[in-house]
Amino acid sequence: MSVIEKIKAKAAADLKHIVLAEGTEPRTVQAAQKIVAQKLAKVTLVGAKAEVEAKAAELGVDLTGVGVVDPAACEKTPVYAQKLFELRQKKGMTLEQATELVTKNTLYFATMMLKMDDADGMVAGAINTTGDVLRPALQIIKTAPGIKVVSSCFLMDVPNKKYGDDGVMVFGDCAVIPNPTAEELAAIAVSSAQTGKALADLDPRVALLSFSTKGSAKHENVTKVQEATRIAHEIAPELNIDGELQADAALVESVGQLKSPGSPVAGKANVLVFPDLQAGNIGYKLVQRLAGAEAVGPIIQGLAKPVNDLSRGCSVDDIVSVVAIAAVKAQG
């Protein structure tokens, strides 16, 4: 069973309510039908009811069992607007501006549903940028306790199963923070460990990667990874975290024990934390293409409640998978 199949099985075992903010988008409408049919989550599409129903009819989609909420007609819209105003008034937002946002911007409406516990998770991004999806989440949901930054990771399922846990690994951050500080890198490490545990049942062994292992090279980039490792230990002393480690020291047991003897992580890491976005993005794509790995993600992490982003080139099945991920994260 692949890692995404395992995630779907977990989602089906404890149904959560996921709101899809782009409710008139064709792939999203088609995905909603599949999600309900596969019993992965309860689903609500956000959008003008007539437009959602017209799009479903055009696509031949049966919306039986799928919720539809129209912000312009919903009785909770004034409540959401008042709460948004209270949250953002110190930033200069007026009640009129809050009302317009939740009435006309489905991303803000869906995020308020999540904030007010009217949904367990949110998915969007098929027709909106990552920045547009994350902006209301950062303003309204904010970060999880003890975590100061929102980041991302990929679940990597490598066919030869030689490394990680039977081939399953977590790579972070590969999509959000271009040049993380030591504090941000530490938060990425902790969040990536939590994601691996929640979604793939990993017992996290976290390696913070560098071109140096335990001081074998001297450079400010190495110092940053060393400092990040120290901070990560302070944030989550219960986790097995080691750094700085070169990739071979993190993955190959003979190399790991030679370069970092006695380490609980070296040579058997299943969570790899890259020093910056260039390395992370290049790394996951190389493993995906050269090793034929399945790359599940990007998975947004660090928020107090599950908000997941989609690629604008996503397929219907991609949306189904991301909803399953959001549902499992909501279980936690």
Side-chain angles (χ1 to χ4, degrees):
M1 186 182 290
S2 71
V3 65
I4 194 61
E5 288 170 339
K6 291 177 182 177
I7 290 169
K8 287 180 177 179
K10 292 180 76 170
D14 180 14
L15 289 187
K16 295 298 179 183
H17 180 194
I18 307 301
V19 58
L20 302 177
E22 300 158 330
T24 59
E25 195 279 321
R27 291 161 295 172
T28 303
V29 173
Q30 292 171 302
Q33 180 186 36
K34 282 194 166 190
I35 293 157
V36 170
Q38 294 176 28
K39 298 180 180 179
L40 299 177
K42 301 172 186 176
V43 176
T44 294
L45 295 169
V46 181
K49 195 168 190 293
E51 291 182 30
V52 174
E53 291 176 347
K55 183 57 66 176
E58 176 189 328
L59 297 167
V61 169
D62 181 1
L63 290 179
T64 301
V66 177
V68 179
V69 60
D70 183 348
C74 180
E75 62 183 15
K76 290 192 175 182
T77 297
V79 178
Y80 294 165
Q82 178 64 35
K83 183 64 175 178
L84 178 58
F85 165 64
E86 292 170 4
L87 290 169
R88 301 293 295 168
Q89 60 180 322
K90 291 182 180 178
K91 299 292 185 180
M93 182 176 288
T94 65
L95 180 57
E96 290 75 18
Q97 289 171 329
T99 301
E100 183 170 4
L101 274 175
V102 297
T103 303
K104 297 183 178 179
N105 188 317
T106 59
L107 295 173
Y108 274 87
F109 184 91
T111 305
M112 287 308 303
M113 284 184 68
L114 186 56
K115 176 68 175 179
M116 302 296 281
D117 296 325
D118 291 326
D120 300 309
M122 169 187 154
V123 172
I127 51 175
N128 284 281
T129 66
T130 297
D132 287 339
V133 173
L134 290 183
R135 190 172 300 108
L138 289 167
Q139 292 174 354
I140 296 165
I141 304 300
K142 304 188 185 300
T143 55
I147 300 297
K148 296 181 179 180
V149 66
V150 172
S151 61
S152 76
C153 70
F154 279 81
L155 281 176
M156 305 297 295
D157 197 351
V158 185
N160 72 12
K161 303 187 182 303
K162 185 174 182 180
Y163 301 110
D165 281 19
D166 200 30
V168 176
M169 306 186 72
V170 179
F171 285 14
D173 174 8
C174 304
V176 176
I177 305 175
N179 189 24
T181 64
E183 290 79 8
E184 290 171 335
L185 205 54
I188 292 166
V190 174
S191 293
S192 297
Q194 292 170 343
T195 297
K197 187 172 184 178
L199 295 182
D201 295 322
L202 297 183
D203 179 11
R205 298 180 298 276
V206 185
L208 282 89
L209 299 181
S210 176
F211 61 85
S212 167
T213 297
K214 299 299 182 180
S216 64
K218 306 295 182 184
H219 191 275
E220 61 184 13
N221 289 345
V222 175
T223 303
K224 182 176 77 169
V225 178
Q226 293 168 339
E227 178 66 4
T229 304
R230 183 190 66 77
I231 296 169
H233 280 298
E234 290 181 354
I235 297 172
E238 75 282 1
L239 290 176
N240 285 323
I241 300 174
D242 200 7
E244 84 286 12
L245 295 173
Q246 291 161 287
D248 58 351
L251 294 171
V252 182
E253 189 159 11
S254 59
V255 178
Q257 291 309 311
L258 176 67
K259 293 186 174 183
S260 185
S263 168
V265 173
K268 44 184 176 284
N270 55 16
V271 178
L272 301 184
V273 179
F274 292 84
D276 59 35
L277 189 56
Q278 290 195 94
N281 193 271
I282 292 166
Y284 101 78
K285 288 185 177 180
L286 283 174
V287 174
Q288 181 184 36
R289 299 301 176 181
L290 297 182
E294 181 181 9
V296 179
I299 301 163
I300 302 299
Q301 55 190 18
L303 287 165
K305 293 187 177 185
V307 174
N308 272 54
D309 184 34
L310 296 163
S311 164
R312 280 174 286 173
C314 64
S315 66
V316 172
D317 288 337
D318 289 337
I319 299 173
V320 173
S321 295
V322 171
V323 167
I325 289 167
V328 173
K329 292 191 77 172
Q331 292 172 358

